[in-house]
Amino acid sequence: MTGRPVTLGLLHTSSVHVPVFEELRDAEHPELGLRHHVVADLLARAREEGPEAVVADVRAGLVRAAEGGAAAVLCTCSTIGGIAETVGADLGIPVVRVDRPMAAAAVAAGPRVVVLATVASTVGPTSALVEEEARRAGRDVSVRVEVIDEVWARFEAGDSEGYAEGVARAVRGVRDADAIVLAQASMAGAERLVPDVRARVPVLSSPRLGLAEAAALAGV
């Protein structure tokens, strides 16, 4: 590429996600600049009061993430992803919801989609997104959901390995699925722990797919 480097803004609800996306960028999109903006209380408030309660804060977060000429913004939180898409359209900011490409991949894999989540607030938005992508693709899907909220305390305590293993245990327990969706970006670390499951059914997480989609939107 020539001229000014392309920058992608990222709106996070936890600083834990920053190194994850930096590592993915370095490995797969080294020409892409990243501008991270973390609003740590967004997820907690959305869980307690509902996603609609944080619309104004999501709007402010997107504006901050887009500062400095970012070509697009990637929202890495599944709970507020739908709000970010809607608000971004109102603001004229191209926004990618990190879990949308994952949902499309799940629909393409087959009709039986199992969604695993560690926070209940993600269930509604993620299930609706899978069903939306199914309608877009003209496919019928059945979405089953399992909330493993007892694992979330590991994440909040900073125990990333314990958190990943807790998610992996749930993945190993899934039966009769054509795709297993790890609803939150934070769950991606479980993928490497379940090669036996991945040998027979796709286990999908959002960071890699979401970043690739956002990079393409940004023109990289």
Side-chain angles (χ1 to χ4, degrees), residues 181-196:
V181 169
L182 305 182
Q184 297 135 241
S186 63
M187 301 169 73
E191 278 190 89
R192 61 181 171 78
L193 302 178
V194 291
D196 52 331

Side-chain angles (χ1 to χ4, degrees), residues 111-131 141-149 170-171 173-177 179-184 187:
R112 300 172 302 172
V113 177
V114 173
V115 174
L116 299 180
T118 60
V119 292
S121 62
T122 305
V123 169
T126 301
S127 298
L129 181 61
V130 172
E131 291 165 354
V141 296
S142 171
V143 179
R144 302 193 338 257
V145 174
E146 181 179 348
V147 180
I148 43 174
D149 51 5
V171 170
V174 172
R175 298 290 183 270
D176 301 320
I180 300 172
V181 169
L182 305 182
Q184 297 135 241
M187 301 169 73

Side-chain angles (χ1 to χ4, degrees), residues 62-139:
L62 289 176
V63 170
R64 284 288 303 277
E67 286 177 353
V73 174
L74 175 63
C75 177
T76 66
C77 177
S78 298
T79 296
I80 64 169
I83 298 294
E85 284 184 324
T86 300
V87 171
D90 291 342
L91 292 171
I93 297 173
V95 172
V96 172
R97 174 177 175 171
V98 72
D99 51 352
R100 184 173 289 281
M102 174 180 66
V107 168
R112 300 172 302 172
V113 177
V114 173
V115 174
L116 299 180
T118 60
V119 292
S121 62
T122 305
V123 169
T126 301
S127 298
L129 181 61
V130 172
E131 291 165 354
E132 179 185 338
E133 289 297 321
R135 289 192 297 272
R136 180 177 297 182
R139 295 172 178 263

